[in-house]
Short mmCIF file of all heavy atoms in Angstrom, two decimals:
data_model
loop_
_atom_site.label_atom_id
_atom_site.label_comp_id
_atom_site.label_asym_id
_atom_site.label_seq_id
_atom_site.Cartn_x
_atom_site.Cartn_y
_atom_site.Cartn_z
N ARG A 1 -7.78 23.99 14.71
CA ARG A 1 -8.15 22.87 13.85
C ARG A 1 -7.35 21.61 14.15
O ARG A 1 -7.88 20.51 14.13
CB ARG A 1 -7.94 23.26 12.38
CG ARG A 1 -8.96 24.24 11.83
CD ARG A 1 -8.52 24.74 10.45
NE ARG A 1 -8.12 23.62 9.61
CZ ARG A 1 -7.44 23.75 8.48
NH1 ARG A 1 -7.09 24.95 8.04
NH2 ARG A 1 -7.13 22.70 7.76
N ASN A 2 -6.06 21.79 14.41
CA ASN A 2 -5.19 20.63 14.63
C ASN A 2 -5.05 20.28 16.11
O ASN A 2 -4.27 19.40 16.46
CB ASN A 2 -3.80 20.87 14.02
CG ASN A 2 -3.13 22.11 14.57
OD1 ASN A 2 -3.56 22.68 15.57
ND2 ASN A 2 -2.09 22.54 13.89
N ALA A 3 -5.79 21.00 16.96
CA ALA A 3 -5.81 20.74 18.42
C ALA A 3 -4.49 21.07 19.11
O ALA A 3 -4.34 20.78 20.29
CB ALA A 3 -6.22 19.30 18.72
N ILE A 4 -3.56 21.65 18.40
CA ILE A 4 -2.27 21.99 19.03
C ILE A 4 -2.42 23.20 19.94
O ILE A 4 -1.81 23.27 21.01
CB ILE A 4 -1.21 22.23 17.95
CG1 ILE A 4 -0.83 20.90 17.30
CG2 ILE A 4 0.02 22.92 18.53
CD1 ILE A 4 0.17 21.01 16.17
N ASN A 5 -3.22 24.16 19.52
CA ASN A 5 -3.41 25.38 20.32
C ASN A 5 -4.77 25.37 21.01
O ASN A 5 -5.78 25.05 20.40
CB ASN A 5 -3.31 26.61 19.43
CG ASN A 5 -1.91 26.83 18.92
OD1 ASN A 5 -0.94 26.54 19.60
ND2 ASN A 5 -1.78 27.32 17.70
N THR A 6 -4.75 25.72 22.28
CA THR A 6 -5.99 25.84 23.05
C THR A 6 -5.97 27.12 23.87
O THR A 6 -4.90 27.70 24.12
CB THR A 6 -6.19 24.65 24.01
OG1 THR A 6 -5.05 24.54 24.88
CG2 THR A 6 -6.36 23.35 23.24
N TYR A 7 -7.14 27.55 24.26
CA TYR A 7 -7.30 28.75 25.07
C TYR A 7 -8.34 28.47 26.14
O TYR A 7 -9.34 27.78 25.87
CB TYR A 7 -7.76 29.92 24.21
CG TYR A 7 -8.26 31.10 25.03
CD1 TYR A 7 -7.38 32.07 25.49
CD2 TYR A 7 -9.61 31.21 25.37
CE1 TYR A 7 -7.83 33.13 26.27
CE2 TYR A 7 -10.07 32.26 26.14
CZ TYR A 7 -9.18 33.22 26.59
OH TYR A 7 -9.63 34.26 27.36
N TYR A 8 -8.12 29.01 27.34
CA TYR A 8 -9.09 28.91 28.42
C TYR A 8 -9.25 30.27 29.08
O TYR A 8 -8.25 30.99 29.29
CB TYR A 8 -8.65 27.89 29.47
CG TYR A 8 -8.52 26.49 28.93
CD1 TYR A 8 -7.30 26.01 28.47
CD2 TYR A 8 -9.63 25.66 28.84
CE1 TYR A 8 -7.18 24.73 27.96
CE2 TYR A 8 -9.53 24.38 28.33
CZ TYR A 8 -8.29 23.93 27.88
OH TYR A 8 -8.18 22.67 27.36
N SER A 9 -10.46 30.60 29.45
CA SER A 9 -10.66 31.81 30.22
C SER A 9 -10.08 31.60 31.62
O SER A 9 -9.95 30.46 32.09
CB SER A 9 -12.15 32.15 30.32
OG SER A 9 -12.84 31.19 31.08
N ASP A 10 -9.74 32.68 32.27
CA ASP A 10 -9.15 32.58 33.60
C ASP A 10 -10.08 31.88 34.58
O ASP A 10 -9.63 31.20 35.51
CB ASP A 10 -8.79 33.97 34.12
CG ASP A 10 -7.59 34.56 33.40
OD1 ASP A 10 -6.84 33.81 32.76
OD2 ASP A 10 -7.43 35.79 33.47
N SER A 11 -11.37 32.05 34.38
CA SER A 11 -12.34 31.51 35.33
C SER A 11 -12.44 29.98 35.28
O SER A 11 -12.93 29.37 36.23
CB SER A 11 -13.72 32.11 35.08
OG SER A 11 -14.16 31.83 33.77
N VAL A 12 -11.96 29.36 34.19
CA VAL A 12 -12.08 27.90 34.09
C VAL A 12 -10.73 27.21 33.95
O VAL A 12 -10.66 25.98 33.96
CB VAL A 12 -12.97 27.50 32.90
CG1 VAL A 12 -14.32 28.20 32.97
CG2 VAL A 12 -12.29 27.75 31.56
N LYS A 13 -9.66 27.98 33.83
CA LYS A 13 -8.34 27.41 33.63
C LYS A 13 -7.99 26.47 34.78
O LYS A 13 -8.17 26.81 35.95
CB LYS A 13 -7.31 28.54 33.53
CG LYS A 13 -6.00 28.16 32.89
CD LYS A 13 -5.11 29.38 32.69
CE LYS A 13 -5.73 30.36 31.69
NZ LYS A 13 -4.85 31.55 31.46
N GLY A 14 -7.50 25.30 34.41
CA GLY A 14 -7.16 24.30 35.41
C GLY A 14 -8.30 23.38 35.80
O GLY A 14 -8.09 22.36 36.45
N ARG A 15 -9.52 23.74 35.39
CA ARG A 15 -10.70 22.92 35.72
C ARG A 15 -11.36 22.33 34.47
O ARG A 15 -11.90 21.23 34.54
CB ARG A 15 -11.73 23.76 36.49
CG ARG A 15 -11.22 24.34 37.78
CD ARG A 15 -12.34 25.02 38.57
NE ARG A 15 -12.93 26.15 37.86
CZ ARG A 15 -14.21 26.23 37.53
NH1 ARG A 15 -15.07 25.26 37.84
NH2 ARG A 15 -14.67 27.32 36.89
N PHE A 16 -11.32 23.06 33.38
CA PHE A 16 -11.96 22.61 32.14
C PHE A 16 -10.90 22.22 31.12
O PHE A 16 -9.81 22.79 31.08
CB PHE A 16 -12.81 23.73 31.53
CG PHE A 16 -14.06 24.09 32.29
CD1 PHE A 16 -14.30 23.62 33.58
CD2 PHE A 16 -15.02 24.91 31.71
CE1 PHE A 16 -15.44 23.96 34.28
CE2 PHE A 16 -16.17 25.26 32.39
CZ PHE A 16 -16.39 24.78 33.67
N THR A 17 -11.25 21.26 30.26
CA THR A 17 -10.37 20.84 29.18
C THR A 17 -11.17 20.71 27.89
O THR A 17 -12.18 20.02 27.86
CB THR A 17 -9.71 19.49 29.50
OG1 THR A 17 -8.98 19.60 30.73
CG2 THR A 17 -8.75 19.09 28.38
N ILE A 18 -10.69 21.38 26.85
CA ILE A 18 -11.32 21.26 25.54
C ILE A 18 -10.50 20.30 24.70
O ILE A 18 -9.27 20.29 24.76
CB ILE A 18 -11.44 22.65 24.85
CG1 ILE A 18 -12.28 22.54 23.57
CG2 ILE A 18 -10.08 23.26 24.57
CD1 ILE A 18 -12.64 23.90 22.97
N SER A 19 -11.18 19.48 23.92
CA SER A 19 -10.50 18.54 23.04
C SER A 19 -11.39 18.31 21.82
O SER A 19 -12.56 18.71 21.81
CB SER A 19 -10.21 17.23 23.76
OG SER A 19 -11.41 16.60 24.19
N ARG A 20 -10.84 17.66 20.82
CA ARG A 20 -11.62 17.38 19.62
C ARG A 20 -11.19 16.07 19.01
O ARG A 20 -10.03 15.65 19.16
CB ARG A 20 -11.49 18.52 18.61
CG ARG A 20 -10.12 18.72 18.03
CD ARG A 20 -10.06 20.01 17.19
NE ARG A 20 -10.93 19.93 16.03
CZ ARG A 20 -11.32 21.01 15.33
NH1 ARG A 20 -10.90 22.22 15.69
NH2 ARG A 20 -12.10 20.87 14.27
N ASP A 21 -12.11 15.45 18.31
CA ASP A 21 -11.85 14.23 17.56
C ASP A 21 -12.35 14.51 16.14
O ASP A 21 -13.55 14.39 15.86
CB ASP A 21 -12.58 13.05 18.19
CG ASP A 21 -12.26 11.73 17.51
OD1 ASP A 21 -11.80 11.75 16.35
OD2 ASP A 21 -12.49 10.68 18.12
N ASN A 22 -11.44 14.87 15.25
CA ASN A 22 -11.85 15.24 13.90
C ASN A 22 -12.41 14.05 13.12
O ASN A 22 -13.24 14.23 12.22
CB ASN A 22 -10.69 15.88 13.15
CG ASN A 22 -10.40 17.29 13.63
OD1 ASN A 22 -11.24 17.95 14.24
ND2 ASN A 22 -9.18 17.76 13.37
N ALA A 23 -11.96 12.86 13.45
CA ALA A 23 -12.47 11.67 12.76
C ALA A 23 -13.94 11.44 13.08
O ALA A 23 -14.68 10.85 12.28
CB ALA A 23 -11.65 10.45 13.13
N LYS A 24 -14.37 11.91 14.27
CA LYS A 24 -15.75 11.73 14.69
C LYS A 24 -16.54 13.04 14.65
O LYS A 24 -17.67 13.10 15.13
CB LYS A 24 -15.79 11.14 16.11
CG LYS A 24 -15.20 9.74 16.19
CD LYS A 24 -15.33 9.16 17.59
CE LYS A 24 -14.77 7.74 17.63
NZ LYS A 24 -14.88 7.15 18.99
N ASN A 25 -15.94 14.08 14.10
CA ASN A 25 -16.63 15.38 13.97
C ASN A 25 -17.18 15.86 15.31
O ASN A 25 -18.31 16.37 15.39
CB ASN A 25 -17.79 15.28 12.96
CG ASN A 25 -17.31 15.25 11.53
OD1 ASN A 25 -16.12 15.08 11.26
ND2 ASN A 25 -18.23 15.36 10.59
N THR A 26 -16.38 15.74 16.35
CA THR A 26 -16.87 16.07 17.69
C THR A 26 -15.84 16.88 18.46
O THR A 26 -14.64 16.62 18.37
CB THR A 26 -17.22 14.79 18.46
OG1 THR A 26 -18.15 14.01 17.70
CG2 THR A 26 -17.85 15.12 19.81
N VAL A 27 -16.34 17.83 19.22
CA VAL A 27 -15.50 18.58 20.15
C VAL A 27 -16.10 18.38 21.54
O VAL A 27 -17.32 18.25 21.70
CB VAL A 27 -15.41 20.07 19.77
CG1 VAL A 27 -16.76 20.75 19.87
CG2 VAL A 27 -14.39 20.79 20.62
N PHE A 28 -15.22 18.35 22.55
CA PHE A 28 -15.64 18.06 23.91
C PHE A 28 -15.22 19.18 24.85
O PHE A 28 -14.24 19.89 24.59
CB PHE A 28 -15.01 16.75 24.40
CG PHE A 28 -15.27 15.57 23.52
CD1 PHE A 28 -14.34 15.17 22.56
CD2 PHE A 28 -16.44 14.85 23.65
CE1 PHE A 28 -14.58 14.08 21.75
CE2 PHE A 28 -16.70 13.75 22.84
CZ PHE A 28 -15.76 13.37 21.89
N LEU A 29 -15.95 19.29 25.93
CA LEU A 29 -15.55 20.17 27.03
C LEU A 29 -15.70 19.38 28.32
O LEU A 29 -16.82 19.13 28.76
CB LEU A 29 -16.39 21.45 27.07
CG LEU A 29 -15.92 22.47 28.12
CD1 LEU A 29 -14.56 23.06 27.72
CD2 LEU A 29 -16.95 23.60 28.26
N GLN A 30 -14.57 18.96 28.87
CA GLN A 30 -14.58 18.27 30.15
C GLN A 30 -14.54 19.30 31.25
O GLN A 30 -13.61 20.12 31.30
CB GLN A 30 -13.38 17.33 30.26
CG GLN A 30 -13.27 16.60 31.58
CD GLN A 30 -14.40 15.61 31.80
OE1 GLN A 30 -14.76 14.87 30.89
NE2 GLN A 30 -14.96 15.59 33.00
N MET A 31 -15.54 19.27 32.13
CA MET A 31 -15.65 20.27 33.18
C MET A 31 -15.55 19.58 34.53
O MET A 31 -16.41 18.76 34.87
CB MET A 31 -16.99 21.01 33.05
CG MET A 31 -17.20 21.64 31.68
SD MET A 31 -18.70 22.65 31.59
CE MET A 31 -19.95 21.40 31.82
N ASN A 32 -14.50 19.90 35.27
CA ASN A 32 -14.29 19.32 36.59
C ASN A 32 -14.36 20.41 37.65
O ASN A 32 -14.29 21.60 37.35
CB ASN A 32 -12.92 18.64 36.65
CG ASN A 32 -12.79 17.50 35.67
OD1 ASN A 32 -13.77 16.81 35.36
ND2 ASN A 32 -11.59 17.28 35.18
N SER A 33 -14.50 19.98 38.90
CA SER A 33 -14.55 20.92 40.03
C SER A 33 -15.54 22.05 39.78
O SER A 33 -15.22 23.23 39.96
CB SER A 33 -13.14 21.49 40.30
OG SER A 33 -12.23 20.45 40.56
N LEU A 34 -16.71 21.68 39.34
CA LEU A 34 -17.71 22.68 38.96
C LEU A 34 -18.16 23.52 40.14
O LEU A 34 -18.26 23.01 41.29
CB LEU A 34 -18.90 22.00 38.29
CG LEU A 34 -18.64 21.59 36.84
CD1 LEU A 34 -19.63 20.54 36.38
CD2 LEU A 34 -18.69 22.81 35.94
N LYS A 35 -18.43 24.78 39.86
CA LYS A 35 -18.86 25.74 40.87
C LYS A 35 -20.24 26.29 40.50
O LYS A 35 -20.60 26.29 39.31
CB LYS A 35 -17.86 26.90 40.92
CG LYS A 35 -16.42 26.49 41.17
CD LYS A 35 -15.50 27.70 41.08
CE LYS A 35 -14.05 27.31 41.30
NZ LYS A 35 -13.14 28.49 41.20
N PRO A 36 -20.97 26.79 41.46
CA PRO A 36 -22.28 27.37 41.12
C PRO A 36 -22.18 28.47 40.06
O PRO A 36 -23.10 28.62 39.24
CB PRO A 36 -22.76 27.93 42.46
CG PRO A 36 -22.12 27.03 43.47
CD PRO A 36 -20.76 26.71 42.91
N GLU A 37 -21.09 29.20 40.05
CA GLU A 37 -20.93 30.28 39.06
C GLU A 37 -20.68 29.75 37.65
O GLU A 37 -20.65 30.54 36.70
CB GLU A 37 -19.82 31.25 39.47
CG GLU A 37 -18.51 30.60 39.83
CD GLU A 37 -18.35 30.40 41.32
OE1 GLU A 37 -19.32 29.99 41.99
OE2 GLU A 37 -17.23 30.65 41.82
N ASP A 38 -20.50 28.46 37.50
CA ASP A 38 -20.41 27.87 36.16
C ASP A 38 -21.79 27.63 35.55
O ASP A 38 -21.89 27.23 34.38
CB ASP A 38 -19.65 26.54 36.21
CG ASP A 38 -18.19 26.71 36.60
OD1 ASP A 38 -17.55 27.66 36.10
OD2 ASP A 38 -17.70 25.90 37.41
N THR A 39 -22.83 27.83 36.32
CA THR A 39 -24.18 27.65 35.81
C THR A 39 -24.44 28.60 34.65
O THR A 39 -24.27 29.82 34.79
CB THR A 39 -25.21 27.90 36.93
OG1 THR A 39 -25.03 26.91 37.95
CG2 THR A 39 -26.63 27.83 36.39
N ALA A 40 -24.83 28.04 33.52
CA ALA A 40 -25.03 28.85 32.31
C ALA A 40 -25.55 27.95 31.20
O ALA A 40 -25.56 26.72 31.33
CB ALA A 40 -23.71 29.49 31.87
N VAL A 41 -25.95 28.57 30.10
CA VAL A 41 -26.17 27.84 28.86
C VAL A 41 -24.85 27.83 28.10
O VAL A 41 -24.26 28.90 27.89
CB VAL A 41 -27.28 28.47 28.01
CG1 VAL A 41 -27.44 27.70 26.70
CG2 VAL A 41 -28.59 28.49 28.79
N TYR A 42 -24.41 26.67 27.72
CA TYR A 42 -23.13 26.51 27.03
C TYR A 42 -23.38 26.29 25.54
O TYR A 42 -24.18 25.43 25.16
CB TYR A 42 -22.35 25.35 27.62
CG TYR A 42 -21.72 25.70 28.95
CD1 TYR A 42 -22.51 25.82 30.09
CD2 TYR A 42 -20.35 25.91 29.06
CE1 TYR A 42 -21.94 26.17 31.31
CE2 TYR A 42 -19.77 26.25 30.28
CZ TYR A 42 -20.58 26.38 31.40
OH TYR A 42 -20.02 26.72 32.60
N TYR A 43 -22.65 27.06 24.72
CA TYR A 43 -22.81 27.01 23.27
C TYR A 43 -21.51 26.53 22.62
O TYR A 43 -20.42 27.02 22.94
CB TYR A 43 -23.14 28.39 22.72
CG TYR A 43 -24.47 28.93 23.18
CD1 TYR A 43 -24.57 29.67 24.35
CD2 TYR A 43 -25.63 28.70 22.45
CE1 TYR A 43 -25.79 30.17 24.79
CE2 TYR A 43 -26.85 29.19 22.87
CZ TYR A 43 -26.92 29.93 24.04
OH TYR A 43 -28.14 30.42 24.47
N CYS A 44 -21.66 25.63 21.69
CA CYS A 44 -20.55 25.20 20.84
C CYS A 44 -20.50 26.12 19.62
O CYS A 44 -21.55 26.48 19.07
CB CYS A 44 -20.81 23.76 20.41
SG CYS A 44 -19.61 23.09 19.25
N VAL A 45 -19.29 26.50 19.23
CA VAL A 45 -19.13 27.41 18.10
C VAL A 45 -18.07 26.89 17.14
O VAL A 45 -17.17 26.15 17.55
CB VAL A 45 -18.76 28.83 18.57
CG1 VAL A 45 -19.89 29.45 19.37
CG2 VAL A 45 -17.48 28.81 19.40
#
């Protein structure tokens, strides 16, 4: 909730970054160095 703690799966660690802006009710997933195996439907939870 406070964005202090984050978790990444091993497959995306170092390439993806999760962040949030509570004032704007939004969470983000920055995805860099994308690979074909990243192809998927992505769900926010």
